[in-house]
Amino acid sequence: MVAALGDPLRLASGSVLPNRVAKAALEEFLAVDGQLPGDELIALHRRWARGGAGLLITGHVMVDGRAVADPRDVVLEAGTDLEPFRRWASAARSGGGQVWMQINHPGRVVFADQGGLAWSASAKRVEMGAFTWLYATPVAMTGEQIAEVVARFADTAAQAERAGFDGVEVHAAHGYLIGQFLSPLVNRRADGYGGDLAARARLLLEVVAAVRGAVSPGFAVGVKLNTADFQRGGFQPQDAAEVIGMLSGAGVDLVELSGGSLESLAIMGHAADESTLAREAYFLDAAASILADAPLPVMITGGVRRLPVARRVLESGASVVGVGTALAVDPDLPHAWIAGEHAEATPVRVNWPDKKLSSAAVQALVHARMEDLAADRDRSTGPLRALLTERLRRRPALRRYRKWGKA
Ligand SMILES: Cc1cc2nc3c(=O)[nH]c(=O)nc-3n(C[C@H](O)[C@H](O)[C@H](O)COP(=O)(O)O)c2cc1C
């Protein structure tokens, strides 16, 4: 029987999501001194909690202060002061739903001006056309460095549990470190972590095992995976289905399926295949074959902003519908949809000729909107202004990050 959006979901680890609408991870860019959560981040999550989602997944939190995707990202390591994280978890749970911390390592997706580490499966730089020079050139990781990263994911998960989070989601999508290992295009290793899919998935499986071993049995563990990376010769839906098979029996509660990488921009709705992306819930087609016999509960994220589409995600066999951008636009959608009201969020679109700049402007608009939610205000910001403001704000954040001294 198809679940309704308001139905609870019992997870394998024992806890219950009160409904099937989840807020997907949105990198907030709101870390304060010491890469910690501050008042704005906490207020933002209190606002989202009020909207009624059964699960809030935080924007990605870095497991290593020496490698951040952006100098405004939160970092949680073994020795980090947990007090601000406790306040964050408690605000995010104040609406009765669960909060999971998304945990991530950027691998090679680090800007050259940040300093610090750029580690990857192989020494291949991010390909971003005219913007490639902005990225650091990575080194191919040694076995010791791989073991260190695995241990760091486990440390961060254990810290998240201590701080009061209900679970963690391991970020294995969108071309970050674990995605770099999964990708046959990026991973050119000849050791046990490269080659066939089982070898490329080894880092993910080791991370999941280490995380599961570091937290209590009732703590939820999710994984975010690409349905496909929308690059020729890249990660395909069949690969995703096989990786989900490998994850069954590993103590995973939920697999979130999304898609794309920084290079393909599919996550922002600009993949090469416009025929798929012109539609809403744009990973649904690619995900259909995976959902047909997935051994684990699946959450589908991407493009959902209207009630009929949210329902269609559940009808297609998913257990949870993930909503990112639309919840930045209207944080009250979960309550409305569960009550059967046809509320919908206006899409955030920028159609400049340069697709990469348009995508950056969409991100900047979503960031501006998150700041508004945190401050409980409504502004109307244009894409150019949002993009410029965001770029300008990066400078002091970069100075602060470098002064912090880990990079
Ligand atoms: C501003 C912004 C920040 C994002 N940050 C993250 C992130 O930290 N982790 C992640 O897994 N996905 C991130 N995403 C991707 C979303 O979680 C989601 O997969 C994608 O936006 C498609 O869903 P949507 O159309 O509902 O937003 C981000 C997306 C946007 C727009």
Side-chain angles (χ1 to χ4, degrees), residues 24-27 60 102 171 174 224 258 282 301-303 324-325 363 366:
L26 295 173
E27 180 183 30
H60 63 181
Q102 187 184 65
H171 197 350
H174 302 168
K224 184 164 184 170
S258 170
Y282 46 80
T301 302
T325 308
Q363 296 231 22
V366 175

